[in-house]
Amino acid sequence: MKLWRKHLERVIQWGLLISATVTIIAVLLIFVFLGKEGLPALLKVPLSNLLGDRWIPVSFENPRYGVLPLIAGSILVTFLATVIAVPFGVGGATYLSEFAGRAEREILKPFIEVLAGIPSVVLGFFGLVVIGPALKSLFGLTSSLTALTGAILLAFMALPTILSIAEDALRAVPRSFKEASLALGATSWQTTWKVTLPAASPGVIAAVLLGIGRVIGETMAVMMVTGNAAVLTASPFDSVRTITATIAAEMGEVPFGSDHYRILFLIGLLLLGMTLAVNLYARRLLVGKIRRRKR
Amino acid sequence: MILNLKSFGFSTVIIVVAFISLVLGGCNKPGESDERAPESGTPAKVESETLTIKGSDTMVHLVTYWAEAYMKVHPNAQISVTGGGSGTGIAAMLNGTTDLAMASRKVKPKETELAKDQGVSFNEIIVARDGIAVAVHPENPVSELTLDQLRQIFNGTLRNWSQVGGQDEEIQVLSRESNSGTYVFFNEHVLMKDNYGQAVRLMPSNAAIVQSLSQDRFSIGYVGLAYAEGAAVKVIGVKKDKETAGITPSLETVSDGSYPIARPLHIYSNGEPAGLAKDFIDFALSQNGQDIVRETGYIPLK
């Protein structure tokens, strides 16, 4: 009987181990597959073409596979979204954790979670018919399909992530820190700005990074509102084509095994690398913070 | 008794990872496991035949109507029609996962090359025609453009409406995405194989183009004729050259060939069609079939 139980526990333990490692295997396999399909492009397409500033994969002349406008497009939209989302995210988190009463928090928090649950295609539609035209008349633009429209939608998507993780970080600051500050005669605003926020800063930065990680990979909303012209630009009022939109739009029809097919996998690998780097760095900050606190 | 996870060392994890990758790797060969033969799903005792048709999103609407009308007369036939784009249909034919492919463009030389390797020979049948309307915002004063002006607008040479008789404003050019058969057709027959200009905005669908055209006062774009009819956009007349009159697309101007931006819609079969496929195509080309073409907003062959 006892032996039987021991075996059963062993089986359960193995089952749990497999469940835990499935995600690792999935990530590894995705990396291997993307690399296998994408890396041969480096051998077949000259680097001068890959690093060019024109993206014309379907052409009667020579196809051009310059990935710079795509990378620049993704970075521009992500940067703008971060600039928009961070003040609201960190500000909102500070209010929720330091100033809001219980009742306020109980009303605000569910709404933030609702924002996180809005499907991106719905947000994209909202951007296409509401935000885009509004921005157009506000700034006197000729087109509503701009990087800025996309960035605002992405800021909506990053906000819940930034808000909730930053709030957790702020609430994790030990009471003794604040009490010491208040006892020394600081006002509650001075305490928040000079003591609580700096103490929580690794967590807050991690929150922002995780928000960025969410934003780089977003596809649908961006594809609907940014116009998808592959232009190398730094202006928020120009159209941009992001890596994600490019893959989503072109993968469906690309001839299997062609240069174009391989390059789409290559930029997919690039995108995965970017999000992974941001997420891993954010994790390190979060883990580092917890270790320091334990000491 | 507590589970001692520490006794499971790092090496165990590696072994598990390796084992599972092997299992997963075994079914990783593309195109072997995930294709199902269309015949296998139907029970053998019923004498029913199946036909799969894949391809152009432009044509799905039309071919679905054909399939429904055909199946009403031939209850034993099972015809499934799916979209995905012209390229998707042609790729499916290369991979042997469809009987017929719909395409709003011709097969590309590269695809013919691939077909030779796969032992597939494309047999092209023109089943209907479709006009491509060029449209602007309703308040735009420009109502006619020559083919050459269109070429220069879409390749980025002409950038201001004043250069073609409009206001002194930048032209915002809208096109379909590069996966669209319409994109390729426009590229070949209006752009004369020039590349699209860099600032051309690529929109994911006909509907998105119509939506933007109705909002942005200085934009221009092209859509399938059926999408422009009834939308809040102004369809402009196209002139073959400076001397001829501008012609707007319609059933008459497309079918008599006077509207210049019209294209044939194709169905491709692997070799000469036989059996159900042949019968279905004959139906599509018959008087009944071509009546359906007119009813669904496309242009019949005759």
Side-chain angles (χ1 to χ4, degrees):
Chain A
M1 188 63 189
K2 218 174 169 198
L3 195 73
W4 179 80
R5 252 179 90 160
K6 208 174 161 186
H7 279 299
L8 180 70
E9 289 195 1
R10 196 135 244 229
V11 168
I12 293 172
Q13 192 174 339
W14 270 88
L16 293 178
L17 176 68
I18 289 171
S19 321
T21 44
V22 154
T23 50
I24 304 177
I25 296 159
V27 170
L28 284 179
L29 283 179
I30 288 170
F31 253 113
V32 168
F33 181 71
L34 285 184
K36 194 184 110 220
E37 298 294 317
L39 289 176
L42 290 173
L43 302 173
K44 288 170 118 188
V45 181
L47 221 55
S48 56
N49 190 347
L50 271 179
L51 297 177
D53 65 344
R54 297 296 306 268
W55 174 262
I56 317 169
V58 178
S59 166
F60 286 92
E61 298 165 17
N62 281 332
R64 309 273 285 278
Y65 300 113
V67 295
L68 292 186
L70 309 182
I71 298 172
S74 275
I75 291 175
L76 176 66
V77 170
T78 308
F79 173 76
L80 288 173
T82 313
V83 167
I84 296 165
V86 162
F88 288 101
V90 176
T94 310
Y95 184 79
L96 278 180
S97 73
E98 305 301 310
F99 300 101
R102 233 190 115 113
E104 274 179 293
R105 192 157 40 227
E106 232 124 82
I107 296 168
L108 286 170
K109 270 238 144 178
F111 272 97
I112 294 161
E113 275 144 31
V114 166
L115 184 60
I118 296 180
S120 68
V121 66
V122 173
L123 262 183
F125 182 67
F126 178 66
L128 194 62
V129 295
V130 179
I131 297 181
L135 287 175
K136 193 178 71 166
S137 56
L138 185 64
F139 293 103
L141 307 174
T142 48
S143 172
S144 52
L145 303 165
T146 61
L148 185 62
T149 320
I152 290 175
L153 293 186
L154 290 180
F156 277 131
M157 291 185 193
L159 254 182
T161 311
I162 297 179
L163 244 169
S164 59
I165 297 175
E167 199 216 341
D168 286 346
L170 284 165
R171 271 143 105 37
V173 173
R175 270 179 74 91
S176 55
F177 284 30
K178 294 181 215 166
E179 280 165 357
S181 168
L182 292 170
L184 286 169
T187 63
S188 75
W189 169 242
Q190 283 171 324
T191 305
T192 303
W193 187 244
K194 297 247 163 95
V195 177
T196 317
L197 265 175
S201 63
V204 173
I205 293 170
V208 171
L209 287 176
L210 289 172
I212 292 175
R214 166 105 172 76
V215 158
I216 300 180
E218 173 48 40
T219 309
M220 198 59 215
V222 173
M223 187 155 105
M224 288 168 81
V225 300
T226 54
N228 303 321
V231 195
L232 200 54
T233 179
S235 159
F237 301 127
D238 276 338
S239 168
V240 293
R241 188 177 184 83
T242 60
I243 295 176
T244 49
T246 305
I247 296 174
E250 296 172 12
M251 193 49 106
E253 286 235 15
V254 68
F256 184 80
S258 63
D259 289 352
H260 186 190
Y261 169 89
R262 301 216 176 280
I263 284 165
L264 288 181
F265 275 98
L266 192 68
I267 59 176
L269 194 64
L270 189 73
L271 186 71
L272 183 60
M274 279 160 79
T275 45
L276 213 63
V278 169
N279 277 316
L280 285 179
Y281 187 63
R283 278 223 74 77
R284 257 188 57 183
L285 284 176
L286 277 177
V287 171
K289 184 192 73 172
I290 291 159
R291 287 223 183 101
R292 228 171 312 145
R293 186 135 313 131
K294 274 187 182 157
R295 231 180 271 154
Chain B
M1 189 180 167
I2 302 158
L3 292 172
N4 185 5
L5 273 178
K6 271 184 193 153
S7 70
F8 274 69
F10 185 65
S11 56
T12 323
V13 177
I14 297 283
I15 290 166
V16 173
V17 169
F19 174 72
I20 294 181
S21 343
L22 269 179
V23 171
L24 292 178
C27 53
N28 198 25
K29 289 191 187 93
E32 273 186 11
S33 55
D34 56 357
E35 285 164 20
R36 61 194 158 81
E39 295 83 9
S40 64
T42 52
K45 57 182 177 186
V46 185
E47 284 293 322
S48 74
E49 283 184 285
T50 58
L51 181 68
T52 52
I53 309 176
K54 273 187 199 167
S56 166
D57 283 321
T58 310
M59 294 171 67
V60 167
H61 187 56
L62 170 64
V63 178
T64 308
Y65 267 83
W66 275 339
E68 279 172 11
Y70 184 87
M71 285 189 284
K72 242 178 227 167
V73 189
H74 303 87
N76 287 340
Q78 298 209 347
I79 302 175
S80 77
V81 183
T82 40
S86 303
T88 312
I90 291 166
M93 173 141 274
L94 290 175
N95 297 333
T97 54
T98 188
D99 301 318
L100 296 174
M102 315 175 266
S104 64
R105 59 167 171 82
K106 279 184 170 288
V107 166
K108 294 178 193 170
K110 262 185 208 161
E111 288 162 341
T112 317
E113 264 172 49
L114 278 170
K116 266 180 206 155
D117 301 341
Q118 308 270 3
V120 172
S121 74
F122 287 117
N123 179 50
E124 177 185 301
I125 303 134
I126 296 173
V127 290
R129 294 175 66 78
D130 183 30
I132 298 173
V134 179
V136 294
H137 188 273
E139 288 171 33
N140 195 319
V142 176
S143 57
E144 282 183 352
L145 289 169
T146 66
L147 276 176
D148 195 52
Q149 282 172 327
L150 281 177
R151 179 175 70 88
Q152 293 189 38
I153 286 172
F154 278 87
N155 74 13
T157 316
L158 294 176
R159 289 163 177 271
N160 197 298
W161 280 110
S162 63
Q163 290 169 297
V164 292
Q167 285 150 293
D168 183 19
E169 289 283 350
E170 204 184 320
I171 304 177
Q172 307 288 333
V173 188
L174 303 173
S175 158
R176 289 286 302 281
E177 269 289 354
S178 59
N179 64 358
S180 153
T182 321
Y183 172 100
V184 177
F185 178 83
F186 206 81
N187 194 352
E188 187 171 359
H189 293 92
V190 178
L191 279 157
M192 300 299 167
K193 303 193 181 182
D194 281 1
N195 284 326
Y196 281 88
Q198 190 163 18
V200 171
R201 287 168 158 81
L202 303 183
M203 309 295 290
S205 66
N206 279 305
I209 291 184
V210 169
Q211 164 76 19
S212 290
L213 284 175
S214 64
Q215 273 176 2
D216 297 348
R217 286 191 56 194
F218 305 105
S219 54
I220 183 169
Y222 60 81
V223 290
L225 183 52
Y227 289 90
E229 283 168 353
V233 297
K234 178 165 124 187
V235 176
I236 62 166
V238 178
K239 304 196 282 187
K240 278 184 185 152
D241 50 56
K242 272 184 194 158
E243 277 72 44
T244 55
I247 292 168
T248 49
S250 69
L251 183 66
E252 292 74 37
T253 57
V254 173
S255 44
D256 69 14
S258 58
Y259 183 72
I261 318 174
R263 58 180 173 174
L265 301 177
H266 312 90
I267 284 185
Y268 284 96
S269 60
N270 181 5
E272 283 291 319
L276 179 58
K278 180 179 176 350
D279 207 39
F280 178 73
I281 291 169
D282 287 345
F283 168 75
L285 295 173
S286 72
Q287 188 59 47
N288 280 346
Q290 294 296 305
D291 284 346
I292 291 172
V293 172
R294 188 175 295 114
E295 283 158 26
T296 46
Y298 299 81
I299 314 289
L301 291 174
K302 275 166 208 154

